[in-house]
Amino acid sequence: MKKISSVIWGVLLIGAGVIFALNAFEITDVNLFFDGWWTLFIIIPGVTGLFTEREKTGNIICILIGVFLLLCSQEVMSFSMLWKLLVPAVIVIVGLKLVFTGIFGNKANEIMANIKEKGGKPKSGCAVFSGCKMNYNNEVFDGAELTAVFGGVDLDLRNAVINEDCAIQATAVFGGVDILVSDRVNVKVTSNSVFGGVDNKTSARNGAPTLYVNAVAMFGGVEIK
């Protein structure tokens, strides 16, 4: 994915350089510094992210903001109208993402609900303006709920006993959640990100129990490694 991003940026820079050269020799007269040209530094990373990142919501919002700002710079719409349209649009996009995530393929929620139906209680880790470290050494793990708000939660499952599918619900708001797993567990992630990111650095392990992670990152990050 990083190679694709590098290629896209490389092509754009080459194109800009060629246009500058042609303009210098008066072969062309293309104005690269049109009104609102700076919005391209918002739009282009968003478009690139659609092709290189698993989570699309933040990129769609980024493109939306860039396009609205460009239209305002071109005097197609006023800046006062920008906020009237942008905020509802962002709310709708995030809402649609949450609805579709809740309806389709959210295995983590199913497992957590099943644990509670059987009388179990998932482990809980919460850090608000603080830090929280959770370590499962030779303990059976079936599920956990992790929340980091202006703080950090570290969950170490490298020595945990995982004999069947399990789940984690992780929320990071202006904070971070780090999850360490062993090489005997397969990890599948469902995520919702708004100006944040969810990164699964593990490799697929066929035949191993699966850890389903349902992650929400808003101006924060969730990392599984």
Side-chain angles (χ1 to χ4, degrees):
M1 294 301 182
K2 290 183 179 179
K3 292 182 179 180
I4 296 176
S5 179
S6 297
V7 169
I8 293 175
W9 278 108
V11 170
L12 291 173
L13 290 174
I14 292 171
V18 170
I19 292 174
F20 277 124
L22 294 175
N23 286 346
F25 287 101
E26 298 183 350
I27 298 174
T28 61
D29 186 21
V30 179
N31 182 16
L32 292 178
F33 297 102
F34 54 87
D35 292 339
W37 64 269
W38 50 271
T39 61
L40 296 179
F41 288 98
I42 301 174
I43 297 172
I44 292 175
V47 174
T48 303
L50 290 178
F51 297 96
T52 60
E53 298 178 11
R54 182 187 299 272
E55 173 54 41
K56 313 296 184 183
T57 308
N59 293 307
I60 293 173
I61 294 174
C62 186
I63 294 170
L64 188 66
I65 292 173
V67 170
F68 277 7
L69 289 173
L70 177 60
L71 293 175
C72 290
S73 299
Q74 293 287 325
E75 298 184 350
V76 175
M77 68 167 59
S78 65
F79 279 96
S80 62
M81 183 62 68
L82 169 66
W83 301 111
K84 294 179 181 179
L85 295 176
L86 182 59
V87 173
V90 171
I91 292 173
V92 169
I93 292 172
V94 174
L96 288 173
K97 174 63 176 178
L98 292 173
V99 168
F100 281 104
T101 301
I103 295 175
F104 302 105
N106 201 330
K107 184 68 174 179
N109 286 345
E110 295 179 10
I111 294 177
M112 297 297 278
N114 188 47
I115 293 173
K116 294 177 182 178
E117 287 177 2
K118 293 181 178 179
K121 186 177 181 180
K123 303 295 183 180
S124 178
C126 182
V128 180
F129 291 99
S130 62
C132 174
K133 294 184 180 294
M134 305 170 67
N135 197 323
Y136 288 82
N137 283 322
N138 300 316
E139 294 183 50
V140 176
F141 178 83
D142 51 10
E145 297 174 337
L146 311 176
T147 303
V149 181
F150 291 97
V153 175
D154 295 325
L155 174 63
D156 191 344
L157 298 176
R158 288 174 295 181
N159 295 318
V161 178
I162 301 177
N163 297 320
E164 57 184 10
D165 291 351
C166 53
I168 291 175
Q169 291 180 328
T171 302
V173 181
F174 290 99
V177 174
D178 290 330
I179 303 170
L180 302 177
V181 299
S182 73
D183 56 4
R184 300 181 299 278
V185 178
N186 190 40
V187 178
K188 292 187 178 181
V189 177
T190 301
S191 62
N192 295 293
S193 299
V194 179
F195 295 106
V198 179
D199 190 8
N200 179 14
K201 295 184 176 180
T202 65
S203 302
R205 290 118 185 180
N206 295 328
T210 299
L211 169 62
Y212 292 91
V213 179
N214 182 28
V216 176
M218 300 182 65
F219 297 95
V222 177
E223 185 175 38
I224 306 101
K225 55 188 177 181

